[in-house]
Amino acid sequence: MGKTIPRCLEQLDICKSIVGLATGAGAIYLLYKAIRASIKCQPPLCSNSPICIARLAIERERHGRDSGEIRRLLNSLECKQDEYAKSMVLHSITRCVYLLEAEASACTTDDIGLVAEMLGDNDSSVKIQALNALKAFSGIRKFRLKIQEHSIKVLELISTIWDTELHVAGLRLLNNLPLPDYVHPQLRRVMPALLEIMQSDYILAQVQALRLLSYLAQKNDLLYDIFNCQVHANFLNLFQTSQPGSLLFEVLVFAERLSEGRNASHYGAVKWHYNEQSLHEALFGDESRLADRLLSLVIHPEEEVQIQACKVIVSLQCPQDLASRPSACHPSHSYFKSGQ
């Protein structure tokens, strides 16, 4: 394993000392050994290892110069390569964007377009790495509008390919972007897929799906589409105390957003009709057991889960537009049955 950069410099200092203290064949031999040792510590050129990328970042900060690593990787992405090579290049681009912020900011919208083209690749791993790279670039404000243009494609991937890693990567990207109104028609089409991911057994994907759904639940024109989506018969198992705290917190936030939207005056002004297996009926229907689940979560060992469960209970008992008037919350008309 190579030595650290400071150690390399130390070796060069030793070389200087040798030249000053010794002469003749013996000194030349020692000088040869010292130089050889210092050369060994140099990182391999064009290495995609995390250590190499980190060294580039350190060197850039130290010397104030562009390493050229991101540009090299983007140029190689334009060349004809197999799926594995493209996946590795995209993975390296993602790391570089996080580590070399100034170089990443110097990229262009054409570079973003080049990365986004990889979303159309036939290989799922290439798609996933392209989503991760776009997520990294989305942290730079000037690229967000350009990346937004590909949100419909990302939604299409999430809804048509059942791959948990792809779901996580795509949803993480969407959760890092403000979604424009022109995406709403596509969101309506993929809403059943989002709820299906929410009910899957993969925690990371469930959490990301819930975060997106909580955001969408605040959009007036999408609320009914969310409510009327069909859910599994055991949907309320998501509220069981045995679920991970991170998942419970997100599903409770989602329930609170839905309760607030349902109680809003403009939504209540319309008489909506829901199918029997809908999300609305599972949460707020006459046969729902949500109240029981919420009460058991009030004593959950994780404080943030307790607090969020209490927020949902309050939103169910007091309609949002009346919450500012204490007298408007009547226990006799509460969502919770008497004695609970």
Side-chain angles (χ1 to χ4, degrees):
M1 187 173 182
K3 298 183 179 68
T4 62
I5 291 174
R7 180 59 178 161
C8 297
L9 297 176
E10 182 182 336
Q11 291 280 1
L12 293 176
D13 289 336
I14 293 171
C15 293
K16 293 178 182 176
S17 299
I18 292 171
V19 172
L21 295 174
T23 58
I28 294 173
Y29 174 71
L30 292 174
L31 181 59
Y32 159 76
K33 289 188 66 175
I35 292 174
R36 184 182 178 188
S38 67
I39 290 174
K40 285 182 179 179
C41 75
Q42 299 300 321
L45 294 175
C46 302
S47 169
N48 290 323
S49 71
I51 293 175
C52 180
I53 303 301
R55 280 174 175 164
L56 287 169
I58 293 169
E59 284 299 296
R60 177 190 167 277
E61 292 297 325
R62 179 176 295 174
H63 301 290
R65 63 171 181 262
D66 193 323
S67 71
E69 182 68 9
I70 295 181
R71 178 54 50 200
R72 182 186 70 78
L73 290 167
L74 287 167
N75 288 342
S76 68
L77 198 60
E78 293 182 304
C79 302
K80 185 175 179 59
Q81 301 183 71
D82 60 30
E83 279 70 19
Y84 177 77
K86 284 187 283 189
S87 179
M88 292 304 296
V89 169
L90 288 164
H91 183 56
S92 295
I93 288 173
T94 301
R95 288 202 306 267
C96 283
V97 171
Y98 287 124
L99 288 170
L100 307 173
E101 184 178 350
E103 288 184 41
S105 298
C107 291
T108 68
T109 54
D110 288 340
D111 296 326
I112 302 300
L114 176 63
V115 173
E117 284 180 18
M118 300 296 108
L119 296 176
D121 195 273
N122 293 328
D123 188 82
S124 289
S125 64
V126 174
K127 290 184 174 74
I128 292 167
Q129 295 304 332
L131 289 167
N132 289 336
L134 291 173
K135 165 65 168 56
F137 275 116
S138 70
I140 301 172
R141 185 178 297 275
K142 72 173 187 176
F143 294 135
R144 288 184 181 174
L145 284 177
K146 181 64 177 178
I147 297 173
Q148 273 183 12
E149 296 176 8
H150 304 282
S151 54
I152 290 178
K153 177 63 176 179
V154 176
L155 287 167
E156 178 190 327
L157 293 176
I158 290 172
S159 61
T160 57
I161 301 174
W162 194 257
D163 183 307
T164 51
E165 289 188 31
L166 185 144
H167 291 162
V168 172
L171 290 166
R172 285 178 69 242
L173 172 58
L174 293 174
N175 282 327
N176 207 45
L177 295 171
L179 297 177
D181 290 346
Y182 66 78
V183 180
H184 286 196
Q186 178 70 4
L187 283 166
R188 289 191 184 89
R189 288 191 286 271
V190 306
M191 206 67 76
L194 292 176
L195 267 77
E196 197 63 35
I197 295 170
M198 177 188 69
Q199 297 171 91
S200 68
D201 294 326
Y202 193 65
I203 301 297
L204 292 177
Q206 289 177 283
V207 166
Q208 293 299 326
L210 282 163
R211 288 176 182 171
L212 179 59
L213 286 166
S214 294
Y215 167 75
L216 298 178
Q218 299 173 80
K219 305 293 182 182
N220 296 334
D221 60 325
L222 295 176
L223 187 56
Y224 175 74
D225 298 278
I226 297 173
F227 269 137
N228 204 40
C229 275
Q230 186 170 327
V231 294
H232 301 170
N234 63 350
F235 171 76
L236 289 182
N237 286 352
L238 287 173
F239 294 85
Q240 284 183 334
T241 55
S242 58
Q243 296 285 7
S246 59
L247 180 61
L248 283 171
F249 175 78
E250 296 297 343
V251 78
L252 287 166
V253 169
F254 182 43
E256 183 189 13
R257 297 288 180 270
L258 292 172
S259 180
E260 290 171 348
R262 175 174 173 265
N263 291 331
S265 56
H266 60 268
Y267 191 82
V270 179
K271 187 173 179 60
W272 303 98
H273 297 279
Y274 309 98
N275 68 65
E276 291 183 2
Q277 291 80 37
S278 68
L279 174 63
H280 181 276
E281 293 304 292
L283 290 174
F284 309 118
D286 293 337
E287 303 301 320
S288 175
R289 303 300 300 171
L290 177 62
D292 297 332
R293 300 298 169 86
L294 291 174
L295 289 172
S296 65
L297 292 176
V298 170
I299 56 173
H300 191 274
E302 296 186 34
E303 185 178 8
E304 69 172 4
V305 173
Q306 294 178 18
I307 293 171
Q308 194 56 47
C310 290
K311 287 182 178 180
V312 179
I313 291 171
V314 170
S315 72
L316 291 171
Q317 290 183 309
C318 303
Q320 186 181 21
D321 55 350
L322 301 178
S324 59
R325 293 180 288 168
S327 60
C329 300
H330 302 291
S332 59
H333 298 290
S334 169
Y335 177 85
F336 291 81
K337 296 177 175 57
S338 60
Q340 287 188 312

